């Protein structure tokens, strides 16, 4: 392996410790504890697990969490009423609506309702719109993209002027991470399922951010020597030696890419742990904003 490993687990732990230290100082000064409200609609096991780990992280960092749960057959009105109630509750600093929502719920309308000052997931159209506009500042940046940039910065990768290829254009990862890289003065190409000759495009990248959900699709030979590779993908690869029958791998073939890249994130232990760490950072930021700091 020639690439330097970017240890997301260690970097996320450092972020969490910094957040916990500031929360402790604020609590000792008598300021209200930051409060995150999570909204779960339905019974998806993965969503319930994500919401529970967010609540656990709040507890570990000295923050409070409120978990709201609506049934799978909840109506649009019920979900919207709940978001309005949380918006109006001065005790709540951050609101996180766990996605995906059940099919009968209009996700866009729900996310539009989250107050901009409580939008710790950064998905409200106002925060995303500000991210897309030159000279405007979002109050919050979506957590996984924020984590990707943070890893690059901590690893000392130069972003300004770097040719960056983002694989994927989803609302939650690809598009916001591309906007964030542009705001940091990178030159960005966004690829998707209609992109022609992906290997040739990727070979131009000083920084590659892969978020397509295709197991180990990016081969080592596609990567520019010395490039920084941030692998957001989480895919289950069958592995009889594991208790669960699979292991997690990314969108990049790690063994091959690590021989060529300058830096690389592992899966698991790369971007994954950053998402909740950045959510905690955003929740603290929400408390600061609302408490006038
Ligand atoms: P998504 O909504 O399914 O979007 C996938 C994107 O990849 C789409 O833009 C799609 O293009 C593009 N794509 C699919 N196949 C492609 C191909 N063969 N060549 C080029 N582009 C292709 O996925 P997502 O929610 O962004 O998630 C992406 C991956 O990141 C998943 O593995 C997910 O589990 C992981 N993830 C990880 C974290 C974390 O915390 N680490 C957080 C979120 C997501 P079109 O737009 O043309 O369809």
């Amino acid at each position: 392996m020639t690439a330097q490993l970017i240890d997301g687990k260690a970097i996320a732990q450092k972020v969490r410790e910094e957040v916990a230290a500031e929360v402790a100082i604020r609590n000792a000064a008598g300021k209200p504890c930051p409060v995150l409200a999570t909204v779960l609609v339905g019974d998806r096991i993965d969503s319930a697990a994500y919401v529970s780990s967010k609540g656990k992280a709040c507890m570990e960092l000295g923050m409070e969490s409120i978990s709201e749960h609506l049934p799978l057959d909840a109506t649009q009105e019920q979900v919207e009423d709940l978001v309005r109630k949380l918006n109006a509750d001065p005790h709540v600093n951050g609101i996180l609506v766990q996605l995906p929502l059940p099919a009968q719920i209009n996700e866009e309308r729900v996310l539009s309702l989250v107050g901009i000052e409580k939008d710790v997931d950064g998905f409200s159209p106002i925060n995303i719109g500000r991210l897309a506009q030159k000279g405007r500042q979002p109050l919050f940046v979506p957590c996984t993209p924020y984590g990707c940039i943070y890893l690059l910065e901590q690893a000392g990768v130069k972003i300004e002027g770097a040719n960056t290829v983002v694989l994927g254009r989803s609302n939650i990862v690809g598009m916001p991470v591309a906007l964030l890289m542009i705001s940091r003065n990178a030159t960005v190409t966004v690829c998707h399922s209609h992109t022609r000759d992906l290997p040739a495009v990727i070979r131009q990248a000083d920084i590659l951010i892969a978020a397509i959900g295709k197991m180990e699709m990016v081969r080592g030979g596609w990567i520019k020597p010395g490039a920084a590779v941030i692998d957001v993908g989480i895919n289950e690869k069958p592995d009889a030696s594991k208790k669960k029958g699979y292991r997690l791998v990314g969108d990049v073939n790690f063994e091959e890419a690590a021989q060529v890249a300058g830096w690389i994130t592992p899966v698991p232990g790369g971007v994954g742990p950053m998402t909740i760490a950045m959510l905690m950072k955003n929740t603290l930021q929400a408390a600061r904003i609302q408490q006038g700091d």
Side-chain angles (χ1 to χ4, degrees), residues 135-185:
R136 306 279 162 85
Q137 288 299 326
L139 291 183
F140 303 101
V141 173
C143 303
T144 303
Y146 190 7
C148 294
I149 306 283
Y150 199 84
L151 289 178
L152 287 167
E153 287 174 345
Q154 292 295 305
V157 177
K158 190 166 190 286
I159 296 178
E160 189 177 321
N163 273 342
T164 299
V165 170
V166 176
L167 300 185
R169 56 175 168 181
S170 72
N171 290 338
I172 61 166
V173 190
M175 201 50 91
V177 88
L179 294 170
L180 209 47
M181 290 298 283
I182 292 170
S183 76
R184 304 289 164 103
N185 296 323

Side-chain angles (χ1 to χ4, degrees), residues 50 143-145 167-175 190-195 198 210-214 217 231-235 249-251 270-276:
Y50 292 140
C143 303
T144 303
L167 300 185
R169 56 175 168 181
S170 72
N171 290 338
I172 61 166
V173 190
M175 201 50 91
V190 180
C191 300
H192 42 75
S193 62
H194 300 261
T195 299
L198 205 56
I212 48 179
K214 300 281 176 221
M217 195 183 93
D231 193 350
V232 187
I234 301 174
N235 309 288
V249 297
D251 291 340
V271 176
M274 294 304 293
T275 301
I276 290 186

